[in-house]
């Protein structure tokens, strides 16, 4: 891939893709980009939930000091990350610089201060032209320059956001950018050979739609593109990107001019960018990947010449599509990833992808990222110095613990030690309206799901021995998240799922879930979670056989577990240990918002 390696994107047009490594067709090959390391989920602290864009050098140093005083480093936390609000509002000579009033000593001096405490230093940027808080210093078109700055500043972690992005209708972006991420509405296609022979296909009667997004509307096919996963409600399970395909097995081998009857737009569902390929089942040849000639609007259909194509004999398929929502975003994150590697090949920098699940990053994020956000923010009511901000157990949209959990819990097959981790955003423990029970369950959820454990409270408000400190330093729960087997828990039962509990996207919180997570030792962690605001007084149980059947393929040694003479159970919150009586793991009811998380160990 070296000759086609992207290290700088353009602000004039979407990236020209010359390597198949950046294509949608490569997303399922399991290959990461050169130099990507396996690593367990990150643990640390991020400034955003605590201080928003009001963070300062003095506050950051105070957090670093408090980090050590609370012995969070001994509990496994290591990263201290500056989020938005730390840069000058404009570039200086094309480079990023520190905001002089808030960060007077500069970022290298701050990194040195944090490193001297044995911690790691993280920063923030954006793949767009601006950061989400507005500063016009996004990495787009400056990835290679910024990578040098970051390595010079000796950072260890980079969170990269998705605001003001030029090639999609992302947050604070032009809504008409949808022109780049959706194909036109299509009514028909026509192939014309050199001798004048024609093959005509109707999109509705002859075409085949792949994926979940596109649909037939009257006499045409629309929504040819990728689902927007920013908000709740759209399942991440299944093929989120659609194509319109036509069987060419009866077409004589040769060259053809391709005419398409289409209508263009600049809105979600109908755009102006079309990709054309011909596939023989094993590989695809691309013939067009660009904007088509615009029509007067989404209802104005015209037949236009698009490109020449070559048809091979046998079972060949014409593919009309637009995977640019995912491909453009991969190119942008890859440009920063590749630039960091080139700036200093020996520098290990964790890349945290923060595009809010918009482009279904579970499909492609593993190629360059160590984690990828799955939804928009967990809270928009961030704090400031003296105000803890607000977090919620349940709320409309993405802004709650349960909203993030509902989606992340069915994304276990996207995550692994080899790929990276689903990120349901920074934790809201310590923020207003999150009580002790909610915080405890929040921490268990994120730990079981192998999500990054990024704290976001003002650490000066935490004391050793208080309930927040006891939760965030619970070594038995943290051990689940940091277990070297590196497997996200699977939901193996839910009171609202008759079957396929690991795949059904549930958003009704009047329910109890059971998660199971295999561990490197051969043990299994089992978490019973009451998402409801009401106590559940019923006995809730599941057999070990059902648990093993659901996760056997991910277990270290399922035969040893199944062949054990008996089992020991440890409650990871109370520390109480007991022998398992019978074949079922159970709890006698659950308080509202509460969890019981157990470690089941085979006795050989």
């Amino acid at each position: 891939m070296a000759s086609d390696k992207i290290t700088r994107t353009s602000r004039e047009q979407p990236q020209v893709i010359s390597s198949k490594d950046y294509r949608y067709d490569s997303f399922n090959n399991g290959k990461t980009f050169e130099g990507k390391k396996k690593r367990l989920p990150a643990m640390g602290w991020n400034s955003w939930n605590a201080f928003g864009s009001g963070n300062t050098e003095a506050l950051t140093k105070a957090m670093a000091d408090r980090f050590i005083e609370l012995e969070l480093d001994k509990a496994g936390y290591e990263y201290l990350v500056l989020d938005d609000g730390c840069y000058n509002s404009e570039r200086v000579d094309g480079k990023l610089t520190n905001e002089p009033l808030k960060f007077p000593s500069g970022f290298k001096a701050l990194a040195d201060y944090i490193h001297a405490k044995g911690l790691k230093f993280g920063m923030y940027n954006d793949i767009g032209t601006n950061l989400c808080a507005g500063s016009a210093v996004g990495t787009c078109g400056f990835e290679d320059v910024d990578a040098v700055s970051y390595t010079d500043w000796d950072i260890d972690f980079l969170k990269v956001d998705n605001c003001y992005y030029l090639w999609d209708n992302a947050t604070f972006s032009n809504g008409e950018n949808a022109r780049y991420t959706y194909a036109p509405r299509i009514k028909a296609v026509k192939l014309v050979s050199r001798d004048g022979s024609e093959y005509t296909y109707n999109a509705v009667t002859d075409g085949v739609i792949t994926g979940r997004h596109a649909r037939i509307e009257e006499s045409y096919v629309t929504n040819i593109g990728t689902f927007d996963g920013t908000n709740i409600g759209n399942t991440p399970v299944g093929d989120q990107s659609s194509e319109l395909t036509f069987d060419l097995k009866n077409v004589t081998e040769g060259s053809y001019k391709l005419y398409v009857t289409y209508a263009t737009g600049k809105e979600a569902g109908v755009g102006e960018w079309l990709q054309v390929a011909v596939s023989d089942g094993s590989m695809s040849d691309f013939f067009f990947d660009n904007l088509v000639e615009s029509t007067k609007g989404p209802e104005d259909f015209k037949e236009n010449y698009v490109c020449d194509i070559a048809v091979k004999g046998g079972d060949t398929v014409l593919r009309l599509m637009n995977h640019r929502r995912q491909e453009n975003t991969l190119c942008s994150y890859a440009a920063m990833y590749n630039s960091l590697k080139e700036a200093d090949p020996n520098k290990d920098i964790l890349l945290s992808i923060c595009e809010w699940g918009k482009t279904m990053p579970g499909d492609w994020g593993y190629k360059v990222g160590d984690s990828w956000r799955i939804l928009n923010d967990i809270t928009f009511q961030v704090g400031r110095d003296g105000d803890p901000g607000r977090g919620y157990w349940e709320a409309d949209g993405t802004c709650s613990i349960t909203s993030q959990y509902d989606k992340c819990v069915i994304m276990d097959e996207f995550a692994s030690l080899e790929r990276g981790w689903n990120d349901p955003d920074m934790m809201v423990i310590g923020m207003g309206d999150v009580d002790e029970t909610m915080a405890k369950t929040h921490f268990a959820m994120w730990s079981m799901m192998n999500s990054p454990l990024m704290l976001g409270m003002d650490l000066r408000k935490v004391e050793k021995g208080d309930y927040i400190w006891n939760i965030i330093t619970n070594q038995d729960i943290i051990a689940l998240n940091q277990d070297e087997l590196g497997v996200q828990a699977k939901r193996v039962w839910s009171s609202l799922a008759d079957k396929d509990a690991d795949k059904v996207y549930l958003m009704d919180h009047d329910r109890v879930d059971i998660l199971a997570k295999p561990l490197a030792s051969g043990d299994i962690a089992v978490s019973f979670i009451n998402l409801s605001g009401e106590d559940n007084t019923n006995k809730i149980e599941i057999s070990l056989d059902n648990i093993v059947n659901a996760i056997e393929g991910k277990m270290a040694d399922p035969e040893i577990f199944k062949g054990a003479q008996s089992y020991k159970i440890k409650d990871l919150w109370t520390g109480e240990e007991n022998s398992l009586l019978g074949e079922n793991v159970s709890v006698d009811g659950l308080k509202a918002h509460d969890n019981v998380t157990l470690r089941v160990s085979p006795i050989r």
Side-chain angles (χ1 to χ4, degrees):
M1 192 183 74
S3 61
D4 299 311
K5 187 181 293 184
I6 298 169
T7 55
R8 177 182 283 202
T9 59
S10 170
R11 294 194 174 194
E12 303 300 321
Q13 64 180 11
Q15 182 69 38
V16 175
I17 299 177
S18 56
S19 168
K20 64 182 179 181
D21 295 300
Y22 300 91
R23 289 280 184 203
Y24 169 83
D25 292 357
S26 75
F27 291 175
N28 289 329
N29 67 14
K31 295 179 180 178
T32 60
F33 280 24
E34 183 180 353
K36 183 166 181 284
K37 295 184 176 182
K38 299 178 185 179
R39 67 176 94 231
L40 292 166
M43 294 179 63
W45 178 90
N46 179 291
S47 64
W48 185 252
N49 284 353
F51 305 122
S53 57
N55 191 30
T56 65
E57 179 180 316
L59 283 171
T60 303
K61 288 183 175 179
M63 294 304 106
D65 295 344
R66 194 67 180 144
F67 204 109
I68 301 302
E69 292 166 3
L70 291 170
E71 298 186 326
L72 296 179
D73 54 329
K74 295 180 180 178
Y77 298 92
E78 58 180 342
Y79 294 100
L80 195 149
V81 181
L82 293 185
D83 211 286
D84 205 347
C86 60
Y87 301 106
N88 242 325
S89 60
E90 302 283 345
R91 290 177 177 269
V92 177
D93 297 327
K95 295 184 178 181
L96 301 170
T97 57
N98 53 294
E99 206 286 333
L101 296 179
K102 293 196 292 183
F103 293 87
S105 301
F107 299 132
K108 180 61 169 66
L110 185 56
D112 290 344
Y113 186 89
I114 291 167
H115 288 149
K117 294 182 177 295
L119 304 177
K120 295 181 179 179
F121 178 52
M123 293 192 72
Y124 164 94
N125 211 301
D126 192 291
I127 61 170
T129 57
N130 297 53
L131 310 186
C132 291
S135 295
V137 296
T139 64
C140 181
F142 293 91
E143 294 89 351
D144 52 348
V145 175
D146 293 347
V148 172
S149 295
Y150 288 130
T151 54
D152 286 347
W153 294 333
D154 201 15
I155 74 164
D156 307 290
F157 181 114
L158 184 62
K159 172 184 173 181
V160 184
D161 225 325
N162 188 32
C163 293
Y164 295 95
Y165 190 49
L166 293 171
W167 314 124
D168 200 353
N169 59 337
T171 299
F172 304 131
S173 301
N174 187 338
E176 291 189 353
N177 288 351
R179 68 192 292 233
Y180 300 111
T181 55
Y182 282 96
R185 292 171 172 171
I186 297 177
K187 274 191 175 181
V189 300
K190 182 172 68 177
L191 307 184
V192 181
S193 69
R194 292 176 179 174
D195 65 6
S197 301
E198 294 186 3
Y199 298 86
T200 302
Y201 299 90
N202 180 284
V204 173
T205 58
D206 300 319
V208 175
I209 295 173
T210 67
R212 297 179 52 248
H213 196 26
R215 67 176 187 270
I216 294 172
E217 190 77 29
E218 300 175 349
S219 60
Y220 57 85
V221 174
T222 188
N223 281 59
I224 302 172
T226 303
F227 266 115
D228 184 335
T230 310
N231 213 328
I232 60 172
N234 178 55
T235 178
V237 178
D239 190 351
Q240 308 300 313
S241 297
S242 287
E243 300 182 4
L244 176 61
T245 67
F246 298 90
D247 189 342
L248 302 183
K249 65 182 178 182
N250 294 322
V251 176
T252 304
E253 182 175 350
S255 298
Y256 292 85
K257 293 189 177 298
L258 173 67
Y259 295 83
V260 181
T261 302
Y262 62 77
T264 65
K266 299 178 181 180
E267 61 193 59
V270 52
E272 298 178 337
W273 194 284
L274 184 64
Q275 295 175 309
V276 178
V278 175
S279 173
D280 64 2
S282 60
M283 64 175 292
S284 290
D285 295 319
F286 281 78
F287 298 98
F288 189 83
D289 187 4
N290 213 326
L291 295 170
V292 296
E293 182 180 339
S294 299
T295 66
K296 293 180 180 179
E299 307 301 327
D300 178 45
F301 284 85
K302 295 289 180 62
E303 181 184 83
N304 283 327
Y305 166 76
V306 174
C307 64
D308 285 6
I309 65 171
V311 178
K312 301 175 182 178
D315 293 332
T316 56
V317 173
L318 174 66
R319 302 167 61 193
L320 302 183
M321 55 200 162
N322 186 338
H323 294 299
R324 278 294 189 151
R325 167 164 279 162
Q326 293 184 307
E327 292 172 349
N328 289 343
T329 313
L330 170 59
C331 288
S332 293
Y333 282 99
M336 178 51 71
Y337 173 87
N338 292 332
S339 292
L340 289 170
K341 295 297 182 186
E342 290 202 352
D344 186 347
N346 298 315
K347 180 66 176 172
D348 182 23
I349 298 176
L350 185 152
L351 181 60
S352 172
I353 294 174
C354 182
E355 56 74 88
W356 333 300
K358 184 175 183 69
T359 71
M360 301 296 171
D363 294 339
W364 59 266
Y366 75 94
K367 290 187 171 293
V368 296
D370 296 292
S371 62
W372 43 87
R373 283 276 297 281
I374 63 162
L375 281 172
N376 213 332
D377 291 5
I378 194 172
T379 181
F380 291 131
Q381 295 178 266
V382 299
R384 60 182 185 274
D385 193 6
D387 177 358
R390 296 290 178 270
Y392 297 99
W393 177 259
E394 185 174 26
D396 294 336
T398 68
C399 293
S400 73
I401 295 166
T402 51
S403 296
Q404 300 285 335
Y405 165 83
D406 289 341
K407 185 174 182 180
C408 192
V409 76
I410 58 172
M411 294 183 68
D412 57 289
E413 294 300 328
F414 293 98
S416 70
L417 192 59
E418 292 74 23
R419 289 173 62 93
W421 310 109
N422 300 307
D423 182 1
D425 206 359
M426 299 165 288
M427 295 181 289
V428 292
I429 296 169
M431 300 185 76
D433 297 320
V434 178
D435 64 26
E436 180 175 357
T437 301
M438 295 173 185
K440 188 174 71 168
T441 301
H442 183 10
F443 197 68
M445 288 171 164
W446 266 232
S447 294
M448 288 287 286
M449 295 188 301
N450 271 47
S451 304
L453 297 182
M454 298 301 292
L455 305 173
M457 75 288 281
D458 183 342
L459 296 176
R460 296 170 301 180
K461 306 300 182 183
V462 181
E463 298 291 341
K464 280 187 177 181
D466 69 14
Y467 82 82
I468 292 177
W469 188 86
N470 288 335
I471 289 170
I472 65 176
T473 61
N474 182 311
Q475 289 298 286
D476 285 333
I477 298 293
I478 290 173
L480 307 181
N481 181 269
Q482 296 292 298
D483 183 78
E484 64 184 17
L485 190 62
V487 177
Q488 177 177 327
K490 183 179 288 292
R491 183 167 62 191
V492 294
W493 181 87
S494 177
S495 58
L496 293 184
D498 294 332
K499 59 180 181 178
D500 296 329
D502 62 326
K503 295 181 176 63
V504 180
Y505 193 170
L506 300 172
M507 293 187 291
D508 181 344
H509 299 134
D510 186 19
R511 72 177 199 265
V512 172
D513 287 352
I514 302 177
L515 312 187
K517 175 178 169 55
L519 304 172
S521 64
D523 297 355
I524 296 175
V526 182
S527 192
F528 296 79
I529 300 172
N530 182 12
L531 285 87
S532 173
E534 302 292 331
D535 293 351
N536 187 307
T537 59
N538 299 319
K539 182 177 183 179
I540 305 157
E541 61 183 347
I542 187 170
S543 71
L544 287 180
D545 284 345
N546 284 342
I547 291 173
V548 171
N549 287 340
I551 64 172
E552 185 169 3
K554 302 287 183 73
M555 293 178 67
D557 195 330
E559 296 306 317
I560 289 179
F561 189 91
K562 289 188 290 186
Q565 296 180 352
S566 61
Y567 300 89
K568 180 182 73 175
I569 293 184
K570 180 179 181 180
D571 186 316
L572 302 186
W573 288 114
T574 67
E576 182 180 356
E577 295 186 4
N578 290 291
S579 296
L580 177 64
L581 301 176
E583 297 296 321
N584 295 337
V585 183
S586 64
V587 294
D588 292 322
L590 285 167
K591 295 291 186 181
H593 307 143
D594 206 357
N595 79 101
V596 172
T597 300
L598 309 170
R599 185 167 183 141
V600 183
S601 305
I603 306 300
R604 299 172 179 85

